[in-house]
Amino acid sequence: MQDWALMALASTLTVLVLIVPGNLLARISGLRGMEALVLSAPLTIGVTIIVAQVLTWLSIPFSPLTFALTWLLVLVIAVLLLRLSTGRWLRESSETSHPTGLTALRKNEARRLAVFWVLGAILALLPIVMTLDAPGRMSQFHDSMFHFSGAVEINKTGAAPIYGALPDMFGGRQVYYPAVWHTLAALFIPFASAPFVTNAMLFAITAFVWPLGVIALARFFAPQSPRVSYLAALLTPATIVYPIFEGFLRSLYPFALGMALLPASAYVLWRSADLLQARNRDVSRLWWFFAAIALGATALSHPSMVGFLALMLVVALVQWVAFAPMRPRTRVVSTVVLLASILAAIAVFNLSSTMLRRAGMAVEDGDSLGRAIATGLLSGQPNRGSLLAFGVITIAVLIGLITLARKNKDLRPGLYVLAVALLTASTKLPGTPIHALTGFWYGSYDRIAAGNVILMPALGALGIAAVLSFFEGGKDVDRTVHTHAAAQTWGIGSAPMARHAKAQKPQEPLAIGLMTVALIFGITGAYGWADKSLWIDIAYTPGKMFHAPWASEAELAAMVHLPKTLEGFGEENLDDIKVIGDPSSGAGLVYSLARLDSVFPRLGPTGWSEEQIFLSQSFRDIHTNPEVCQIVRKQGITHYYSDDAALAPGEYAFTGLHDVDTSQGFVKVADLDKASLWRITACLADAPAQGQQDKQD
């Protein structure tokens, strides 16, 4: 129980770190209420990325201290600029100051929303907590080792540039990798283990950052209908592909962070499009600066987010071409230009990133085209049971889309959903031009389908509210009046642009909404509790995984205390220790858990140097092949981690790191359950090779 109390504290501190700096910056700049809160996490993350890059240029280590000091400097500069501007360039931009922002909630509505938000967060976290028997339990799924080590590396080196981060993960080479997640995690690594920090961050973005964006979209779609926001908060736990499938199961932590930011980014992008189309001048000039930072933070969190944001931009342009006041000839020309731009973007993509281009040309094995289409249409929910389980939610989403299109003339969400479904299906259709775009998501159909999940709670809530409205007498779900003149003026009749009528008191919205949601979840099991528990169990419980576990619980516990064990054995200078061992065993966790330098700090040979590849194939020839010792001495390798208990014979990923003769040239310095750590003496200057020893004998 004490451990879970520590996890609750750690998750709360993570939320504060993600929210408070950005919220203070937004409020200093004139934003208020819900709008400032929604922008908080994207602003914090975006500015932190910039800060980390500047510190790298200045050769100042990125650390919790420098993070706090630079953020303090940013806030002081913002206050000074506000005072110097005397309001000339920093206009008030509260959520009630112009018709395009998030409308203000009354106090009683804010309290109700907070209750539903907390209830949704509890329902989201409860199956996770009940499945994990300890908050610090480590996921042993494919990508988690890389991300643990990445966070530790940034903490160790103090370098977190936008380009060239995590060189130790790529054999010392400078490549681009989205290290935003690792930069944030590095702030907490000095105080807790990498698995504990990772779980705390997942809890924080699941319970706070993700719902914030979802509620923002609900308010954007139906600004005068609090019940839509209430229902959206209740529907946030109904998504399985995010965060459970992609975050907790597959350990795609950068992808999960981007997904958490994506709903808020959708609000920012589409609201900005409305402002541009309406030529609204009653808005803070800093909005555009903040919008750029927020969208940049999302885009840099993972390449897949660039694809999703591009789709949102394209459908916004389609909306503008379809409804903006213009001459017929201009509309035709605009349509041609838009289509040509999309085709040009595909061509540019095919000539750009080699890695993404290769992914876009590949065909993912596994599920069929029908399964991919169904996953794309059913809000990206890859549940292992019957697809009917999410049928009701999908119908609610469809009703929400129809409501927006029919009453508000807002086609963007519908076009976006169709585009995601089309891309999902195209993963099974190689050779088509659109298939190349799937490289943004590494050709993985479930990652693409996840894009529809960001709209699911808000659209589902809108659909449920529309059904309730029908039975209550046909009141508009957003209780607004749309006029022909307004539609012509704004180009679209979206809810944020509508002229508000006097709000009517809804008939028992909370009771009806709760009964409806309870009925849906009671009949369909749409929260997917069983699926969530199963997938978390697969990722975190040794013996239930899709592959053999890297290490036993006893081995992991011993690894955490390995530095003290080595000090007791006489290994005094831990900074000089460098360990080699098969990363598909516990050796791959030495870097992140024991905080000792490692030749292979991650699983998978992508990006390995030639020397790393050679050692993975030939280290066991250390007594007979002089080249092995040459590389060992060159790289400063001092210890060997042997673990022949995790996998059956023939299943090792790197056989050259097994069956090493440790009877001579090695000194055992630690036992870790069934694994052992050995000091290498075979490559010392006065140590004869095995062949020479045989001749002497």
Side-chain angles (χ1 to χ4, degrees):
M1 194 64 183
Q2 183 180 3
D3 290 343
W4 283 110
L6 290 175
M7 175 56 72
L9 176 62
S11 299
T12 302
L13 290 175
T14 304
V15 169
L16 292 177
V17 169
L18 291 175
I19 298 298
V20 171
N23 188 256
L24 287 175
L25 180 61
R27 294 184 67 83
I28 288 171
S29 304
L31 298 180
R32 293 293 181 268
M34 195 69 187
E35 196 158 62
L37 197 57
V38 168
L39 283 173
S40 297
L43 284 180
T44 297
I45 295 171
V47 173
T48 298
I49 297 169
I50 298 172
V51 164
Q53 179 65 72
V54 172
L55 290 175
T56 300
W57 284 335
L58 298 176
S59 299
I60 299 174
F62 177 79
S63 67
L65 178 60
T66 54
F67 167 82
L69 292 177
T70 49
W71 255 106
L72 180 61
L73 179 62
V74 168
L75 295 176
V76 169
I77 292 174
V79 171
L80 292 176
L81 288 176
L82 176 63
R83 289 182 177 274
L84 292 174
S85 69
T86 62
R88 284 177 292 135
W89 63 281
L90 265 174
R91 296 180 182 175
E92 180 71 13
S93 179
S94 70
E95 57 185 6
T96 57
S97 66
H98 53 79
T100 54
L102 295 176
T103 56
L105 286 165
R106 300 183 182 91
K107 287 185 178 180
N108 62 330
E109 293 173 343
R111 293 192 197 99
R112 290 175 180 172
L113 180 58
V115 171
F116 286 113
W117 186 347
V118 171
L119 180 58
I122 292 173
L123 291 173
L125 296 180
L126 201 56
I128 304 170
V129 172
M130 293 183 66
T131 305
L132 295 177
D133 57 1
R137 182 178 286 277
M138 187 190 75
S139 168
Q140 296 196 44
F141 213 70
H142 300 116
D143 285 13
S144 61
M145 184 187 297
F146 178 99
H147 300 309
F148 295 157
S149 297
V152 171
E153 180 182 348
I154 290 179
N155 171 253
K156 177 182 176 182
T157 62
I162 294 175
Y163 178 86
L166 311 181
D168 286 353
M169 301 295 106
F170 298 95
R173 295 185 298 119
Q174 295 287 316
V175 301
Y176 171 72
Y177 185 83
V180 177
W181 168 277
H182 313 86
T183 301
L184 296 173
L187 294 172
F188 306 98
I189 285 295
F191 313 108
S193 68
F196 189 93
V197 169
T198 297
N199 293 342
M201 288 185 64
L202 286 174
F203 285 178
I205 64 175
T206 299
F208 203 91
V209 178
W210 163 257
L212 260 180
V214 167
I215 293 170
L217 279 177
R219 300 291 294 165
F220 183 67
F221 293 151
Q224 297 301 307
S225 180
R227 73 163 60 166
V228 174
S229 299
Y230 305 155
L231 292 170
L234 277 179
L235 285 174
T236 51
T239 61
I240 288 186
V241 69
Y242 172 82
I244 302 298
F245 187 77
E246 305 292 4
F248 285 89
L249 172 64
R250 299 185 66 188
S251 305
L252 305 178
Y253 305 137
F255 185 90
L257 176 64
M259 287 292 295
L261 298 174
L262 208 54
S265 296
Y267 161 72
V268 168
L269 195 153
W270 286 341
R271 185 204 163 193
S272 298
D274 287 349
L275 289 172
L276 288 172
Q277 186 175 341
R279 298 179 181 178
N280 190 323
R281 299 181 182 277
D282 187 23
V283 62
S284 168
R285 297 179 185 179
L286 275 180
W287 166 262
W288 307 107
F289 179 63
F290 287 165
I293 291 178
L295 296 176
T298 304
L300 288 173
S301 63
H302 196 276
S304 297
M305 303 308 120
V306 178
F308 289 134
L309 292 174
L311 290 181
M312 293 175 190
L313 178 60
V314 168
V315 299
L317 292 174
V318 172
Q319 174 85 21
W320 174 74
V321 170
F323 292 105
M326 62 178 70
R327 297 176 180 178
R329 180 178 298 178
T330 305
R331 196 180 305 278
V332 172
V333 173
S334 300
T335 302
V336 172
V337 170
L338 177 59
L339 292 175
S341 300
I342 294 174
L343 294 175
I346 295 176
V348 170
F349 171 76
N350 282 323
L351 297 174
S352 59
S353 170
T354 302
M355 182 181 69
L356 298 185
R357 184 172 69 249
R358 287 175 180 173
M361 300 309 294
V363 181
E364 187 182 69
D365 296 328
D367 292 330
S368 63
L369 173 62
R371 177 76 181 189
I373 294 174
T375 303
L377 292 177
L378 290 175
S379 304
Q381 303 286 35
N383 63 312
R384 297 167 64 86
S386 171
L387 293 176
L388 184 62
F390 287 94
V392 176
I393 294 293
T394 302
I395 292 173
V397 170
L398 180 60
I399 295 173
L401 289 172
I402 294 173
T403 300
L404 282 176
R406 185 173 65 88
K407 293 188 176 182
N408 301 339
K409 292 185 178 180
D410 194 347
L411 304 180
R412 291 171 296 189
L415 292 173
Y416 172 81
V417 169
L418 289 176
V420 170
L422 179 61
L423 278 170
T424 304
S426 72
T427 60
K428 307 299 180 183
L429 301 173
T432 58
I434 195 173
H435 179 81
L437 292 178
T438 63
F440 278 115
W441 299 270
Y442 307 123
S444 176
Y445 80 88
D446 57 86
R447 293 199 197 195
I448 301 175
N452 277 341
V453 172
I454 67 164
L455 300 182
M456 192 207 80
L459 291 175
L462 192 64
I464 294 173
V467 174
L468 295 177
S469 175
F470 175 80
F471 287 107
E472 290 175 355
K475 296 192 302 293
D476 288 341
V477 295
D478 59 356
R479 301 196 302 283
T480 58
V481 174
H482 304 283
T483 64
H484 179 72
Q488 291 297 319
T489 300
W490 299 108
I492 58 174
S494 65
M497 301 298 183
R499 180 168 57 86
H500 296 178
K502 183 178 180 180
Q504 302 178 23
K505 185 178 181 180
Q507 300 175 6
E508 302 178 1
L510 300 184
I512 296 175
L514 282 173
M515 289 175 60
T516 304
V517 173
L519 181 64
I520 290 173
F521 294 150
I523 293 176
T524 67
Y527 272 127
W529 193 292
D531 284 343
K532 292 178 179 180
S533 297
L534 173 64
W535 282 331
I536 293 170
D537 223 15
I538 290 172
Y540 286 82
T541 305
K544 295 186 178 181
M545 302 166 184
F546 294 140
H547 60 82
W550 302 322
S552 65
E553 292 297 324
E555 184 177 345
L556 294 174
M559 197 178 303
V560 172
H561 298 95
L562 183 57
K564 291 185 178 179
T565 302
L566 293 176
E567 288 176 353
F569 195 82
E571 304 279 344
E572 296 180 358
N573 197 344
L574 300 182
D575 291 337
D576 291 339
I577 291 178
K578 189 171 186 178
V579 180
I580 187 171
D582 186 351
S584 63
S585 69
L589 299 168
V590 167
Y591 186 80
S592 58
L593 295 187
R595 309 291 174 91
L596 299 175
D597 199 5
S598 174
V599 178
F600 303 107
R602 69 181 181 93
L603 183 64
T606 303
W608 280 2
S609 66
E610 292 183 2
E611 289 184 346
Q612 285 177 305
I613 294 174
F614 174 80
L615 289 176
S616 71
Q617 298 169 347
S618 306
F619 180 77
R620 63 184 174 189
D621 301 327
I622 188 170
H623 298 297
T624 58
N625 188 343
E627 188 175 354
V628 174
C629 274
Q630 290 176 8
I631 297 175
V632 166
R633 287 191 292 267
K634 177 183 176 183
Q635 293 199 9
I637 302 170
T638 60
H639 289 72
Y640 167 60
Y641 192 103
S642 66
D643 186 358
D644 293 337
L647 301 177
E651 291 184 352
Y652 295 110
F654 309 102
T655 55
L657 295 166
H658 295 274
D659 299 324
V660 178
D661 181 8
T662 56
S663 62
Q664 57 182 331
F666 292 85
V667 178
K668 183 185 290 189
V669 295
D671 284 317
L672 303 93
D673 194 26
K674 298 180 180 180
S676 301
L677 186 68
W678 306 77
R679 187 194 307 129
I680 302 173
T681 61
C683 294
L684 297 178
D686 57 349
Q690 181 67 48
Q692 296 173 344
Q693 181 68 39
D694 292 341
K695 291 180 181 179
Q696 293 174 5
D697 293 342

